[in-house]
Amino acid sequence: MKKRCAWANPANPLYLNYHDHEWGIPCHDERRLFEMLNLEGAQAGLSWETILNKRENYRLAFDNWDAHQIATYDDAKVASLLANPGIVRNRLKVAATINNAKAYLRLCEEKGSLDAYLWAYVNGTPIHNNGERIVTTPLSDQISKDLSKRGFKFVGSTIIYAYMQAIGMVHDHAADCDWHCPV
């Protein structure tokens, strides 16, 4: 039997798949980077499992995370999103996603891509930790502040650290997890 990080709910196949095949694995896919930034923000005040269980609904509701499309959402689209039981129907979080699409497009014009922007912070190499329970770091503080200055919403340091873990900028699998890779 495989040993996983304690947070991976063994009763939820989506969670196990996420733990085994996404979390902590370096991601350079632009659309997924944008998706995960917004999903981590949607998680604020909720459990990751809640968001993960709604992930496919989010993909449908937000045009498969097409930032160009999301940036054009109007009041009618916002109303339909707020009526969609498949996502978290929080007005601030929906507005943040639309805002983040616009901020993302500006960032891409300046930096080339979200991928280039993010991975430059770690020189393209993931940070390996020993599975300690960390919620923020000076680096997550720095990225959070910069994203906020660029107009992104729901990008506090704790959210950004979780995001860094999710996209593999930080490898934080527990020391007793089969996915832990000591450096």
Side-chain angles (χ1 to χ4, degrees), residues 150-172:
R150 293 173 180 279
F152 286 85
K153 304 293 182 198
F154 283 91
V155 290
S157 188
T158 301
I159 289 170
I160 292 304
Y161 191 76
Y163 176 59
M164 292 166 62
Q165 292 172 308
I167 64 168
M169 282 179 70
V170 175
H171 185 90
D172 268 346

Side-chain angles (χ1 to χ4, degrees), residues 26-119:
C27 175
H28 298 283
D29 178 86
E30 199 67 17
R31 193 169 296 226
R32 184 162 164 263
L33 291 170
F34 179 66
E35 172 189 25
M36 293 306 296
L37 181 64
N38 285 289
L39 291 180
E40 290 291 348
Q43 179 194 349
L46 303 169
S47 72
W48 176 244
E49 191 166 14
T50 297
I51 301 303
L52 188 61
N53 289 338
K54 294 177 177 283
R55 186 179 194 183
E56 288 304 317
N57 295 325
Y58 269 96
R59 285 179 176 155
L60 291 172
F62 286 97
D63 292 295
N64 197 30
W65 298 106
D66 180 337
H68 289 92
Q69 187 68 35
I70 295 167
T72 67
Y73 286 1
D74 58 15
D75 291 343
K77 178 63 175 184
V78 170
S80 73
L81 289 167
L82 293 174
N84 184 339
I87 66 169
V88 174
R89 295 175 288 178
N90 176 297
R91 184 173 299 279
L92 292 175
K93 291 178 181 181
V94 169
T97 301
I98 298 165
N99 180 79
N100 287 352
K102 295 171 186 176
Y104 165 81
L105 294 173
R106 288 189 305 269
L107 182 140
C108 289
E109 283 181 23
E110 181 186 340
K111 299 290 185 179
S113 67
L114 181 59
D115 179 60
Y117 166 82
L118 291 168
W119 285 91

